Amino acid sequence: MHENRELVEARINRFLRERLPGRVWRERQAAALAVWEAPGEPVPFSLAVGRDYRPFSTGSPWGAPWGTTWFRVSGTVPEGWEPGNGNRAELLIDLGFPGGGPGFGAEALVYTPDGGIVKAVEPRNMFVPLPQAPGEAFEFYVEAASNPNVAAGFTFAPTPLGDRNTAGEAPLYVFRSANVALFDAGVWNLVRDFWTLNGLMHELPMDLPRRYEILRALERAVTAVDPADVPGTAAAGRQQLAPVLFSPAYAGAHRVYAVGHAHIDSAWLWPVRETVRKVARTFANVLELMDTEPEFVFTASSAQQYAWLQEHYPELFARVAERVREGRFVPTGGMWVESDTNMPSGESLARQFVAGKRFFREQLGVEPEVVWLPDSFGYSAALPQIARAAGARWFLTQKISWNETNTMPHSTFRWEGIDGTQLFTHFPPVDTYNAELSGQELARAQRQFAEKGFANSSLVPFGWGDGGGGPTREMLAAAHRTQSLEGSPTVRLATPEQFFAAAAAELADPPVWSGELYLEFHRGTYTSQANTKKGNRRSEALLHEAELWSAAATLRAGAAYPHRELELAWQTVLLQQFHDILPGTSIAWVHQEAERNYVRVAAELEVLIGNAAQALLGEGTESAVLNAGPYPLEGTPASGAGPVPGPGTGTWEPSGGGWRISSGRLRLQVTADGLFSSLIESGSGREAFPAGRPGNLFQLFRDTPNQWDAWDLDAHYRFSSTDLMQPEAMVPEAGGRVLRIERSFGHTRITERVSLSPDGSAVDLDLEVDWHERQKLLKLAFPLDVHADRAASEIQFGHIFRPTHANTSWDAARFETVAHRWIHVGEPGFGVAVANDSTYGHDTFREVVDGRPCTMVRVSLLRAPLFPDPDTDQGLHRFRYSLRPASGIPDAVAEGYRLNLPLRTVTGTARTHLAPLIRVSSPAVVVETVKLAEDRSGDVVVRLYEAHGSRAEAQLRTDFPYTAVEATDLLERTVESDVLGGEVSGAVSGAAGPVLRLRPFELVTLRFRRA
């Protein structure tokens, strides 16, 4: 036989491209259309159904950006279309889909006239089943969303479409068709056979006989199918394919557990209100598919999305709940949303699980054990401990496959956090969370599975995602055909738990990855949309205060604890920690709404704090300060109240065109350029800055990433920088205790106020930046005379060390990192802490100055990417920083809390003193949270952790009565723990409580039972 493989493949490709498309449905007849356009925001079906609908014709434009158009579609199933052999009548609706997958443009939800939800209509899923018999009439109402395609092929060009105010009113779509059509199951199955086999064939090696068996079978099938009569000859074509399609997989084939899901971003290139509808559309698709596919199971995370369904689509939620009880609709993740894990505080990540698991338990009767975060932008080394403390056993992510530089060495492994806790983890080698179960995807999963020889199973998440959509009947057809197919991995439809149970049993001794899962990509997410990040940080602090003082007011004054108000505030903040909101990667609409929500939450929490303060301190003529932090401040005890402190001490005098600022502990020299040329700690006489390299240097960089503007900060930004020198003004204010420095450049103005901390141990910097640059990055640099090969960065419930050198490709790729409230660099005997009140992005690296090493610490203040929000960060921003020399990590911890939980002044009080509810004897043990129990029993819950990275023993003292104290998980359920020891005699107010013994970075939740 002569070699003609390429010719045969060309023949097959044209057959698939031109002969089969459009043949699945036949005998189409147009349906009747009428239309009503909803003004403004979407309305529910009950309001839309009774409106005045006008006639509408296919080929007509419809849909302004972000609008809602209701179509009434009616017709009759033609006589003679008797269902049978899988054939059935269907309604096909094409809203004018431009191609591609669902979720990024027009989409719709279909209702029956009585308000029942049928399914969604989206690209690649345009059919609506017609249960009517031939000759019977049908009618549907179609809620069509004219969402603009903001992505536009991800060219990252600036677009006005992400803001309702700039998107315009011109229609985006042309309604293409609405037809009654006869679905031909034989042709459809022929298409699915071809799709599966052709995809498999192209993944097989050229020298493998199986490849040529498939080739010749496809060739024979093409010959058997007459393009002029595809329905009449489809069975003959399938007969030619049957021998190769039913040849079973070999015994050692890679095992794929196919998990149906739909990654639905809770906001991204669409606003939150549109996600509510995306959830309904996707879940409706899933329920319709379950009616026809008995083996199909579906998993979905994010309690918030189920809660939206319960609120806005109760009938649909009831159907979901029924499938949950059957075990076919499987909640996973256990979190309120698929959160970013780099920037939320430790308590916020804890509450993601508390809120998420509480909803799943109470509303659906299940408790997920898998942490499901396929798309977050890197994973904090604190997450294993937090997840395990919430009762999770397993963790899944996909995003690390996006690494630019290094390839993750494991597919299935144990992930070890900063405290030593390990979490069984899977990183699907398929490298996508939107799989179609194609031959290419299955082959990639097999090829890239890292634990070959030790294990042989991986998970493939399949279903249209990002904008929702979910699995389709075509994907399930692929799953059935590859259940056991020679040359392909075997495919089993499964739940996440079924996969993880099998994987854990299969890999008895998995490898261990210790520390963070750093994403070598999307490094700009630590900085983009600074006001969103500031709103998050401030909300976290206010929630801490509101819970602390409300608990104290309940215990001390009998005030009602505001459970519901706190719960709603937490839900707003947790939602906005979603991995495309807090990272700053959504359209303008999303961030504008988030910032409005932060303002609202702040106002509501201020009311709660004010009410609690009044209950605790009474009404009078005095003034007091409340200290919500875990360390004493200016004479006020931690978690207590005291009199208003007096002003700090220090001397300020002109010096060499600049200023010399001194306290009993520091001497700071500010040059005429507004730079810090010298910072000496008085006790040691040690200088913080290298000679000739001043600190407090603002640097401006060109910021033009290769792609993913708001997401990425590429290494080449460092090649073009400008040092911002020559201030316009430098004048004292506030009675000579603050130095104001004014700078301007381009269209931007910086106002910096330099002062000393009240105890004189740190330099405080308050910044106002009126930012109007484009594609620029602003950093604040501190070159420090410290020889440090690593830097400590605060993360949730502890800190992590990262190298300051670039010895390996892993080190070099970590050129921008995330830190919470502080970064610390040090050498034995001397260190410097840089703390902040709302910044996350930093870089630390080694330099040589005049032959001597120094360590550069820079904080990233602002960016100005053009996509997806062309006005990112434009406007006024406020930041607060401190620089504390001669400090160790304990000082850095305290400094971070000082900036983020400053003293709160309360006027008109009767008292100026308030003893803390909780005291701990060791500064290494930080009381992070004091609140009342979620179950509203009145029990007191205290969350604390070891903050210094060492073993700690601490005496806990309480100032409220209780009957017993227990260690619990994050969900406040009693667990066995060796952390409690010593006497427990808290029935007398102020008596000694338990002795705590904590491992480095150990997280502990205690529940104090009250009668």
Side-chain angles (χ1 to χ4, degrees), residues 878-949:
R878 291 182 171 86
F879 307 93
R880 192 173 179 218
Y881 298 94
S882 77
L883 185 67
R884 181 167 176 170
S887 65
I889 284 177
D891 303 302
V893 173
E895 196 67 12
Y897 277 105
R898 178 178 74 86
L899 286 194
N900 286 270
L901 290 171
L903 295 177
R904 172 184 292 273
T905 300
V906 182
T907 59
T909 67
R911 293 179 293 280
T912 60
H913 290 83
L914 179 70
L917 288 178
I918 299 285
R919 291 187 178 94
V920 288
S921 61
S922 170
V925 179
V926 171
V927 176
E928 179 66 20
T929 297
V930 179
K931 60 185 282 291
L932 295 195
E934 294 287 313
D935 62 8
R936 307 194 180 192
S937 63
D939 292 348
V940 178
V941 172
V942 176
R943 191 143 31 245
L944 41 81
Y945 70 102
E946 196 290 314
H948 296 170

Side-chain angles (χ1 to χ4, degrees), residues 317-634:
F317 180 81
R319 291 164 58 191
V320 167
E322 178 61 30
R323 292 299 191 182
V324 170
R325 286 189 288 272
E326 293 174 1
R328 297 188 61 195
F329 202 118
V330 182
T332 192
M335 301 174 75
W336 189 248
V337 296
E338 289 186 13
S339 170
D340 177 77
T341 75
N342 285 315
M343 290 170 285
S345 69
E347 188 61 25
S348 287
L349 283 187
R351 295 304 179 89
Q352 287 284 352
F353 288 101
V354 171
K357 287 206 166 190
R358 179 180 171 189
F359 180 90
F360 285 134
R361 291 199 330 268
E362 293 180 357
Q363 304 302 323
L364 293 170
V366 296
E367 182 175 335
E369 295 184 302
V370 177
V371 182
W372 185 270
L373 287 174
D375 191 32
S376 292
F377 308 146
Y379 304 91
S380 167
L383 189 56
Q385 179 179 203
I386 296 169
R388 290 298 298 272
R393 300 171 61 190
W394 300 307
F395 175 68
L396 178 136
T397 177
Q398 183 63 70
K399 200 68 173 188
I400 302 299
S401 66
W402 286 42
N403 273 3
E404 287 180 310
T405 305
N406 297 285
T407 300
M408 188 70 186
H410 310 304
S411 299
T412 306
F413 56 99
R414 287 196 175 275
W415 178 24
E416 183 177 84
I418 53 172
D419 74 315
T421 296
Q422 294 186 350
L423 188 62
F424 191 87
T425 296
H426 185 63
F427 170 44
V430 70
D431 277 4
T432 180
Y433 51 81
N434 293 325
E436 297 179 77
L437 300 178
S438 68
Q440 181 184 51
E441 290 163 343
L442 296 176
R444 184 167 63 239
Q446 175 177 279
R447 182 173 60 252
Q448 297 188 169
F449 182 67
E451 277 66 55
K452 293 184 181 74
F454 301 96
N456 198 23
S457 301
S458 70
L459 185 150
V460 171
F462 73 95
W464 295 114
D466 287 326
T472 63
R473 59 188 179 186
E474 289 77 17
M475 296 175 191
L476 291 177
H480 296 322
R481 284 160 173 76
T482 53
Q483 184 174 3
S484 179
L485 178 61
E486 184 184 354
S488 169
T490 61
V491 174
R492 172 189 172 185
L493 295 173
T495 68
E497 286 80 4
Q498 287 171 334
F499 163 75
F500 274 103
E506 179 181 64
L507 190 59
D509 187 23
V512 175
W513 179 273
S514 183
E516 67 183 330
L517 291 169
Y518 176 86
L519 179 62
E520 297 172 355
F521 206 45
H522 292 358
R523 303 169 184 89
T525 57
Y526 315 146
T527 304
S528 295
Q529 298 286 2
N531 279 332
T532 298
K533 291 172 168 59
K534 186 177 183 69
N536 175 73
R537 183 80 69 87
R538 184 63 184 140
S539 296
E540 290 173 335
L542 288 170
L543 281 162
H544 169 89
E545 286 195 78
E547 290 184 330
L548 171 65
W549 302 128
S550 295
T554 299
L555 296 170
R556 297 271 175 75
Y561 189 78
H563 282 283
R564 183 57 178 163
E565 293 90 336
L566 289 168
E567 180 180 51
L568 292 174
W570 266 116
Q571 287 177 1
T572 298
V573 174
L574 296 177
L575 165 61
Q576 295 182 173
Q577 290 170 348
F578 176 73
H579 65 252
D580 274 307
I581 303 179
L582 183 53
T585 52
S586 290
I587 57 173
W589 186 340
V590 172
H591 292 288
Q592 292 164 3
E593 183 177 41
E595 288 158 28
R596 288 194 298 269
N597 287 341
Y598 286 132
V599 171
R600 173 181 56 79
V601 166
E604 293 167 354
L605 294 175
E606 289 286 0
V607 170
L608 299 185
I609 293 168
N611 292 342
Q614 185 177 30
L616 289 166
L617 299 174
E619 293 188 55
T621 60
E622 301 290 332
S623 293
V625 291
L626 292 172
N627 177 14
Y631 298 104
L633 277 181
E634 301 179 58

Side-chain angles (χ1 to χ4, degrees), residues 79 84 113 142 164 289 331 342 439 472 487 526 591 594 744 749 757 958:
E79 297 285 355
V142 179
R164 188 75 182 263
L289 200 53
N342 285 315
T472 63
Y526 315 146
H591 292 288
S744 64
R749 188 170 190 85
S757 63
T958 63

Side-chain angles (χ1 to χ4, degrees), residues 700 744-750 770-774 874-875:
L700 191 67
S744 64
F745 56 93
H747 302 285
T748 295
R749 188 170 190 85
I750 300 176
D770 192 8
W771 177 250
H772 296 284
E773 305 306 306
R774 303 284 181 177
Q874 301 301 299

Side-chain angles (χ1 to χ4, degrees), residues 922-925 946-948 950-954 979 996-1000:
S922 170
V925 179
E946 196 290 314
H948 296 170
S950 59
R951 292 187 181 270
E953 182 173 300
V979 74
L996 307 177
R997 297 181 178 88
L998 278 71
R999 302 186 311 274

